[in-house]
Amino acid sequence: MLRKLTLPLVVAMSITACATLPAPPPSGSQQPTAAPAKAKVTHIRFSLDWAIEGPSAPFLIALDKGYFAEEGLSVVIDRGTGSAGTVTKIASGAYEMGYADINSMIEFNVKNPDKALQAIAILYNNAPMTVFTLKGKGINTPSDLAGKKLGAPAGDAGRRLFPLFAKQVGIDPNSVEWVTMEPALREAALAKGEVDAITAFYGSGWFGLLRNKVAPEDIVAFMYAEQGLPLYGNAVMASPKFLQENEEAVKGFLRALARGWQEALADPAAAVEIVKRREPLIDTEIETQRLKMAIEKHFLTEEVKQNGFGAADLERLKKNIALVVEGFALTSSPQPETIFTDKYLPPKELRMPPGT
């Protein structure tokens, strides 16, 4: 049976209801303080040069541990299919930034001046282009390549720059015979004896030969950089327009990446565990070895120990550009400042290798 509310209780309920109503806005010029604006988030689509492997660790560490997010960035990282393809993807606007061979970028810039890109951090301080052969082939020094049969894809950077390598080691570049093949068949062709040598990036060629049952002690490698060619390798790059319009975001990206790079150098095994979270099918042991090899050969050179992550030596860069212009038979030679800028790099003390 329903009971009637007594008058005192009705009054009490009315007072409580009124107390829960929001207070009226202040009169006159006194307005409520606006809620703080949300921090701007910059979205960056980023393309690697190749598959997600051990040497991709600096990028994936920065992503996995939230270093990009701390800089106000929302970053998506995709694998690539080769440096030339990555350069084209960035230039077309499909990606805001990417990671590719700086020599491929130089060639692209000369041929496409209206779409030219700019490098902002060099990770491969030594270019990884290498000639691989096997013991028993009679190729004990680079000069022994004369008269031999070499295999590589038509667009392979090592093949296209082979004339520079040949000139450096004192042989006629036309003295070798080239066999064109798909990248996946390159190391197998050498292992089967179908060619005498191949050109490949150092890490790719080395581990490709191991996969084809070649013993490490039977691998002979002539890396271009170790033969006196002062070429830089892979670098972070973007269009000048994007860089200018997103200066603080780009600086934040490189701060985060420098942290990832330092952690990859400090603990390669832990770094590869992060890579495996993104790419579960990788072989952890092989990718740890591949990362350690990249650190030894490309990431941590004497120049990097002096100048830190990402930097370039101006005189060396000038020589690099001149060699690429010669090797690719380009019609003009770009100025170094159009190819690389250190404007977006963190201060040197934030870019030094761990333990220095």
Side-chain angles (χ1 to χ4, degrees):
M1 181 176 178
L2 295 174
R3 297 172 54 194
K4 290 184 178 180
L5 296 174
T6 61
L7 182 60
L9 182 58
V10 171
V11 173
M13 290 177 63
S14 299
I15 294 172
T16 303
C18 291
T20 62
L21 294 175
S27 60
S29 60
Q30 292 182 343
Q31 298 297 324
T33 303
K38 291 184 178 179
K40 178 185 175 184
V41 175
T42 301
H43 300 278
I44 296 176
R45 295 165 296 181
F46 190 91
S47 176
L48 296 170
D49 63 321
W50 191 242
I52 293 174
E53 299 174 327
S56 310
F59 300 96
L60 298 181
I61 290 171
L63 183 65
D64 184 85
K65 293 198 171 184
Y67 299 156
F68 288 135
E70 289 177 18
E71 298 288 350
L73 306 175
S74 172
V75 178
V76 174
I77 297 177
D78 292 334
R79 67 155 290 164
T81 55
S83 284
T86 297
V87 169
T88 301
K89 290 173 187 175
I90 303 168
S92 71
Y95 289 85
E96 283 77 30
M97 299 176 67
Y99 181 57
D101 174 43
I102 195 171
N103 305 296
S104 297
M105 190 200 81
I106 293 169
E107 180 191 19
F108 179 89
N109 285 5
V110 173
K111 294 182 176 179
N112 303 273
D114 59 325
K115 297 179 181 178
L117 304 181
Q118 191 171 34
I120 56 173
I122 296 174
L123 274 73
Y124 271 37
N125 189 262
N126 279 331
M129 285 83 82
T130 304
V131 174
F132 284 96
T133 186
L134 304 179
K135 287 184 178 178
K137 292 285 186 182
I139 305 173
N140 301 312
T141 66
S143 60
D144 295 329
L145 289 165
K148 301 297 184 180
K149 186 184 293 186
L150 275 66
D156 178 74
R159 175 175 176 172
R160 299 188 64 221
L161 288 172
F162 184 80
L164 295 178
F165 175 85
K167 180 180 178 181
Q168 183 70 21
V169 301
I171 64 173
D172 180 355
N174 296 316
S175 66
V176 305
E177 177 188 350
W178 286 99
V179 179
T180 301
M181 56 188 61
E182 292 297 317
L185 303 177
R186 176 170 33 195
E187 290 81 17
L190 177 57
K192 292 176 181 178
E194 296 171 0
V195 293
D196 300 307
I198 59 173
T199 55
F201 278 13
Y202 193 90
S204 298
W206 184 274
F207 289 102
L209 288 170
L210 295 185
R211 282 196 302 271
N212 282 277
K213 311 302 180 185
V214 176
E217 59 270 21
D218 290 334
I219 299 174
V220 179
F222 306 120
M223 194 165 76
Y224 287 22
E226 293 175 346
Q227 300 301 318
L229 289 174
L231 298 174
Y232 286 111
N234 286 14
V236 177
M237 57 190 65
S239 71
K241 183 176 185 292
F242 179 80
L243 296 174
Q244 292 165 9
E245 293 177 354
N246 299 274
E247 181 174 338
E248 292 308 313
V250 172
K251 288 180 177 179
F253 184 97
L254 293 186
R255 280 194 297 269
L257 182 58
R259 294 171 69 183
W261 176 82
Q262 289 166 330
E263 291 189 19
L265 267 60
D267 193 343
V272 169
E273 288 300 324
I274 290 176
V275 176
K276 191 173 181 65
R277 287 206 283 270
R278 169 65 184 268
E279 201 72 12
L281 297 181
I282 65 169
D283 184 310
T284 303
E285 182 179 351
I286 287 178
E287 295 311 321
T288 302
Q289 292 177 26
R290 194 193 305 268
L291 175 55
K292 288 180 178 178
M293 183 176 287
I295 291 170
E296 176 188 351
K297 297 287 186 179
H298 311 302
F299 286 174
L300 194 56
T301 66
E302 289 304 314
E303 184 177 310
V304 172
K305 291 176 183 177
Q306 293 179 13
N307 299 332
F309 160 85
D313 177 82
L314 180 59
E315 291 305 313
R316 180 181 168 190
L317 182 60
K318 289 178 180 177
K319 293 177 183 177
N320 189 144
I321 294 170
L323 286 168
V324 171
V325 169
E326 178 186 351
F328 289 155
L330 302 178
T331 56
S332 63
S333 183
Q335 294 300 310
E337 61 270 17
T338 68
I339 297 301
F340 174 83
T341 177
D342 62 3
K343 175 181 178 180
Y344 304 96
L345 286 174
K348 183 176 179 180
E349 62 268 20
L350 300 181
R351 296 187 285 107
M352 296 306 293
T356 60

